[in-house]
Every structure is written in C-alpha cells, then in structure tokens.
Amino acid sequence: MRRTGRRGWERWAAPAVAAGLLAGCTAAPSGGPAEEEADAAAPIPAECEKEAEHPKRQMRGAWLTTVRNLDWPSSDDLSAEEQKEELRERLDGAAALGLNTVFFQARPTADAVYASEKEPWARYLTGKQGGDPGYDPLEFAVDEAHARGLELHAWFNPYRVGWKDPDLEGLTADHPAEKHPEWLITYDDQGWLDPGNPEVQEWVSDVVLDVVDRYDVDGVHFDDYFYPYPAEGEGDFEDDDSWEAHGDGFDDRGDWRRANVDALLADIHGRIGETKPWVRFGVSPFGIYRNAGSDPSGSDTKGLESYSAQYADTRSWIEQGSVDYLVPQIYWERGFGTADYEELVPWWAEEVEGTGVDLYIGQAAYRVGEDGWKGEDALARQLDFNLEHPQVGGDVYYGMRDVLGKAEKAMERLGEDHYAAPALPPAAGGGAGPPDPPARVTAERNGSGGVDVDWEPVEGARSYAVYRLPADAPDDPCELAGRDRLVGVAGSPGLTDGTAGSGEYRYHVTALDRYRDESAPGGGAEVPEGGAAAE
C-alpha cells in the first residue's frame, strides 16, 4: 500500500425506517418448537433485495498495516499479551465505526505474521526477523474478527523483500531471498523477488495457498506492489536474466512483465477456487490504469499509470475473471486536476459493469486534514459521489491508525451520513444454498434501555444478522430486504440492541454461511412497549 506522504463492536443502528416493498409472504411465527419455526420461515426474495433503496450488502473495510509497525503492533517490543490487547482495540474500533472487514497484512516483506514453515517471522513482531512472538497473530486476528462479526482478508505483498536497511541486512538464513539469492533484485532502496522468474511465481502462489489451507480467512488480498514504483534517478528494474531466459514470445518487455503478473493472479485465483471457493480474491491497484493520453480508453487524468509503472493490467484481470474484486486506490479529492476523483470513479465503474467483478474504492483516510481533505465531511463527500454509481459496492480505508486517529471525526461523520445502519459483507457466490434459519429466537428488555436478542446456533453459520421491525410491520420477508431494518451483525448467538427505544418491536435473525449466503429469517420475537433508549 502506497502512502504519499464496553464492547465497542456493539454499535447499532438508529430506529429503523419501514421498507414497505411487497406484501403477502409469511414470516416465521414467534414461539413454538424450533422445527416449526424453521419450516414456517420464508426466504427473503432476491428481487426485493435488488429493489431495496439501501442495499444491505456493502464492503466497509480498512487496511491494517503491519510493515514498519504502521498500524499494528505499534512497536516491535510489545509482549504477546500487549499485542493481543492492542489488536482487540483495533478491531473494536473498526466495528464501532460500522466497518465489516479488516484487511490484515499477513506477509509484509516476504516474511510471515503467522506461523509458517516456508518463511520466517516478520521482524515487526519482535524486532528481529525470525523471532517467535509466542502466539500466532493471524490465527488470533481471524478468531477475534469473527467474534465481532467482522470478516478478515489476509493481505499479502507478493514480491517486496524490504528496505536495504534494516531488512536486507537482517535476512535470516531461511528467508527465501537468502536461500535463493538469484531470486533477489535490488532497486532504489529496496529488494524484490523477481516477478519474471517462474520459480518465484510458484513460490508466492504456494505461500498464499498455504495460508488459505490452514487459516479460516474470508479473503486473500494483494496491494499494488508488483513491480516497484519508478524512483527518480534510478534506471530500469534489472530483470535482464529472467527476461532473457523466459521472455520468448514477447517483443516488448513491458508486455512480458504484465503477462507475469497476469499469470500469478490467474494461478492464485484458480487454486483458491479449487481449495476454498468461498475465499474471495482481490487486488488494490494504483488508482490510474492508463491516462487517455496513452490510451484513448483510459481516464482523463495525467498521473502515473499502473499499466506501465507496476505492470498491472487490471483490464486484463477483469476480462479473464482472475479477481473477484478490485479496490483501486483513488487517493485524490474531488476536483483535483491531475487525477480527479469524479473522473476516476465513473471510469472504474464502467470497467466492471456487467463483468461479475466487484468494485470497491480505496479511500485515503491518511489524508484527512490536508488541503482538499479538511472538515468532518472529508470522507463523506467522497462517498456522496459514489452514490451516483451503483457499480461501487463499498469502500476500504487506508490505514487503520488514521481511521482510529486523525480521521476519527471524519469516520464518525460517515457513520451519520452513510453507515447509520450496519451492512452485511458482499457474497462470494457458488454456495450450495442458504443455511437453516435460526430457531428459538428470544427478545427481552434488559433494564438498561436495550433489548437482548438470543437464538440457537446454526450449524455452518459464520455470522448472524439481527433485524428489528415495528410490531405492526407486515409479516413479509421483503421488509428485511434492505439494511434499514438491520440493527447488528454478530459472530455467535446473542446481541444487545442498544438503541431500541421504548416502542413495541419484533425481532428476526438470519444466519450467514461461509459463502455469505443468508438464511430465511427466524424468529418473530416481540417485545412490548416500555423502557428507554440507551444513552
């Protein structure tokens, strides 16, 4: 990722607004045996979800950076318990702001923030590469994220080995660049595994699939570092050896480099699909693909091009279906002359239209407070523009330290303007059908102004969605089609609706499996009028 320059997860929606889309279906009755509830439940019709004014599925993510201790851990001398507590705080903060996904940097510099037999422990955990932190951070992060109803996507940097000082000078003997020095290319002040070497491509793919095999991650994510960003005063990236050995069939080295990146992504995407097809694979390329001055079909911009700088042919990935989603890093404000946000969002929206590849926008939380990014609406006004483009399925913010720090007020404003209701994560597709609906749903006022909702666990459920309706709302699953009725997402049975107010309500709960397929609503548990909204 490139820079230019109490249970906090219980954050519930304001009182819901009636959806009123269709009528005539039968919801699950309250009370009675669990089997009767499940049999009576009717699914939420897909056509209702398509017509909902406020879609319930939306990516709301943040990148949690481990390289150079940017986001977590805050320093490399924390104990295991201090690291765990700090990570809990990061996840609590993300959920409290209405986010639903964390992109956890598991492999920052061809090393591991997880227990690996292939690559050494990252130095950012203990101050020394290869130093065992005493626990498995990725496993811990996955468990803690899921407990809060958050998804976790494992973020890999595919080729970067790190900076000369101290990374390249402190490589362990079992680091791949030490075991295979012919793989290493230095450029400017950093080292890279050679993307043009087929052995390197196979190694990176194997590293990713090792994590997919062993960890319960929801996604795999690559950032924009394929080939290095051009550095002033530096020559070309010195991959002559691999070009001479493997460049047959290409007249242009740039085309060959792009083909190398294409091959890596296609291989990883295919292998994930064969192993765990519910794990989604995505990339966050630099925000400009090509300028119109280079390609008439490019964007009306004048900045660096990912096509020729990092050799990232995102159009090819879309056409080949080798990614499930893209998160272009559009880190420029609306009206910026060189690369206008209002030019780039429509350009990317048109690229993915009708392709099956989801589009989320990479947002520059780290820029809040700079010129063009002042005011509490610095991020909200970016999302205001997104609403004009239905192809945009959400946003991801860089980075977590800024989301919870200097951009906190801007994120809170997002909560008011765009994230007032929770959102379910985007679905993976390809599942065998939705899980069973939750049974024995109960709802009781807790004496503190909230309502405690509980239910029986559902086999195979990854998370649960809790909906609140006025007691006199129609018995119609279309009432649950959008996010207006959604009050929370839980990783296990049990949720407190802290903003229920004193009205008479009816609660329904659905289960989501690992494909994010949603069950029919279970329950219909009613609470009488009384109590007061929690402060």
Side-chain angles (χ1 to χ4, degrees), residues 11 60-62 93-102 149-150 395 397 400 403 411 419 423:
R11 178 189 188 276
R60 300 177 181 177
L97 290 170
L99 305 185
N100 59 22
T101 306
V102 171
L150 295 168
D395 302 86
Y397 302 89
M400 184 70 79
V403 163
M411 294 299 299
Y419 295 168

Side-chain angles (χ1 to χ4, degrees), residues 24-96:
C25 301
T26 303
S30 60
E35 292 80 2
E36 292 181 9
E37 284 193 35
D39 290 343
I44 301 170
E47 59 269 22
C48 296
E49 295 196 4
K50 291 179 181 178
E51 296 172 10
E53 182 179 359
H54 302 114
K56 71 171 71 175
R57 294 188 185 270
Q58 186 179 45
M59 170 58 73
R60 300 177 181 177
W63 284 288
L64 191 152
T65 312
T66 59
V67 71
R68 292 195 165 186
N69 302 103
L70 287 176
D71 290 326
W72 176 89
S74 59
S75 66
D76 61 13
D77 59 355
L78 300 181
S79 69
E81 288 307 313
E82 288 172 328
Q83 289 184 19
K84 289 179 179 180
E85 183 56 31
E86 194 173 78
L87 186 55
R88 290 189 192 100
E89 292 174 358
R90 302 289 191 271
L91 297 176
D92 283 343

Side-chain angles (χ1 to χ4, degrees), residues 138-155:
L138 179 58
E139 181 180 51
F140 180 78
V142 168
D143 290 344
E144 292 290 321
H146 288 170
R148 291 157 174 76
L150 295 168
E151 290 206 343
L152 188 139
H153 291 217
W155 163 19

Side-chain angles (χ1 to χ4, degrees), residues 45-353:
E47 59 269 22
C48 296
E49 295 196 4
K50 291 179 181 178
E51 296 172 10
E53 182 179 359
H54 302 114
K56 71 171 71 175
R57 294 188 185 270
Q58 186 179 45
M59 170 58 73
R60 300 177 181 177
W63 284 288
L64 191 152
T65 312
T66 59
V67 71
R68 292 195 165 186
N69 302 103
L70 287 176
D71 290 326
W72 176 89
S74 59
S75 66
D76 61 13
D77 59 355
L78 300 181
S79 69
E81 288 307 313
E82 288 172 328
Q83 289 184 19
K84 289 179 179 180
E85 183 56 31
E86 194 173 78
L87 186 55
R88 290 189 192 100
E89 292 174 358
R90 302 289 191 271
L91 297 176
D92 283 343
L97 290 170
L99 305 185
N100 59 22
T101 306
V102 171
F103 294 80
F104 180 89
Q105 192 175 30
R107 184 181 187 260
T109 48
D111 46 19
V113 190
Y114 59 93
S116 173
E117 295 182 356
K118 302 180 77 64
E119 295 181 329
W121 288 105
R123 69 175 175 87
Y124 310 109
L125 297 169
T126 62
K128 181 179 179 180
Q129 190 173 79
D132 188 338
Y135 73 111
D136 189 323
L138 179 58
E139 181 180 51
F140 180 78
V142 168
D143 290 344
E144 292 290 321
H146 288 170
R148 291 157 174 76
L150 295 168
E151 290 206 343
L152 188 139
H153 291 217
W155 163 19
F156 298 79
N157 186 284
Y159 295 121
R160 184 176 61 196
V161 179
W163 291 263
K164 290 180 180 178
D165 180 18
D167 295 309
L168 300 189
E169 297 176 1
L171 295 179
T172 59
D174 60 344
H175 191 281
E178 283 289 290
K179 295 170 68 176
H180 303 277
E182 72 278 9
W183 289 4
L184 182 67
I185 298 176
T186 57
Y187 178 82
D188 192 25
D189 63 344
Q190 295 192 52
W192 301 80
L193 298 181
D194 181 5
N197 187 321
E199 292 181 352
V200 169
Q201 296 174 24
E202 183 179 5
W203 175 264
V204 172
S205 187
D206 286 348
V207 166
V208 172
L209 267 294
D210 174 57
V211 169
V212 172
D213 283 336
R214 295 191 296 118
Y215 293 88
D216 193 18
V217 297
D218 303 287
V220 166
H221 186 77
F222 278 7
D223 56 34
D224 51 335
Y225 282 107
F226 295 103
Y227 286 82
Y229 276 78
E232 186 176 355
E234 291 288 323
D236 196 15
F237 186 69
E238 295 181 359
D239 54 2
D240 291 352
D241 290 345
S242 55
W243 164 243
E244 292 174 4
H246 309 292
D248 290 347
F250 292 90
D251 296 326
D252 180 80
R253 192 179 302 202
D255 290 340
W256 170 72
R257 288 173 174 172
R258 281 181 283 274
N260 293 331
V261 177
D262 289 355
L264 176 72
L265 299 191
D267 182 60
I268 289 175
H269 185 263
R271 292 178 65 183
I272 290 173
E274 294 169 357
T275 305
K276 292 182 179 178
W278 57 88
V279 172
R280 305 182 72 223
F281 178 47
V283 180
S284 52
F286 184 72
I288 299 173
Y289 169 65
R290 299 193 79 182
N291 299 310
S294 301
D295 180 344
S297 67
S299 55
D300 185 15
T301 50
K302 300 178 179 63
L304 179 141
E305 302 172 326
S306 61
Y307 179 86
S308 54
Q310 294 83 46
Y311 301 95
D313 189 353
T314 48
R315 180 173 285 165
S316 173
W317 310 341
I318 295 170
E319 292 172 349
Q320 295 175 11
S322 53
V323 293
D324 297 312
Y325 65 85
L326 288 173
V327 194
Q329 299 171 43
I330 309 182
Y331 292 167
W332 306 286
E333 66 270 24
R334 298 173 64 174
F336 179 61
T338 302
D340 190 348
Y341 187 89
E342 296 185 16
E343 163 66 18
L344 285 163
V345 168
W347 188 91
W348 284 101
E350 185 176 346
E351 287 295 301
V352 303
E353 174 68 24

Side-chain angles (χ1 to χ4, degrees), residues 376-447:
E376 292 186 0
D377 66 341
L379 295 171
R381 58 180 178 258
Q382 305 288 92
L383 271 64
D384 291 343
F385 184 76
N386 291 1
L387 293 175
E388 302 173 20
H389 303 279
Q391 301 91 337
V392 177
D395 302 86
V396 184
Y397 302 89
Y398 188 76
M400 184 70 79
R401 178 180 63 180
D402 299 305
V403 163
L404 302 177
K406 69 176 183 178
E408 185 177 16
K409 292 298 183 182
M411 294 299 299
E412 290 176 356
R413 176 66 177 270
L414 282 181
E416 300 170 5
D417 293 2
H418 294 276
Y419 295 168
L424 304 184
D436 293 332
R440 302 191 187 280
V441 178
T442 62
E444 297 182 357
R445 294 193 178 277
N446 59 22

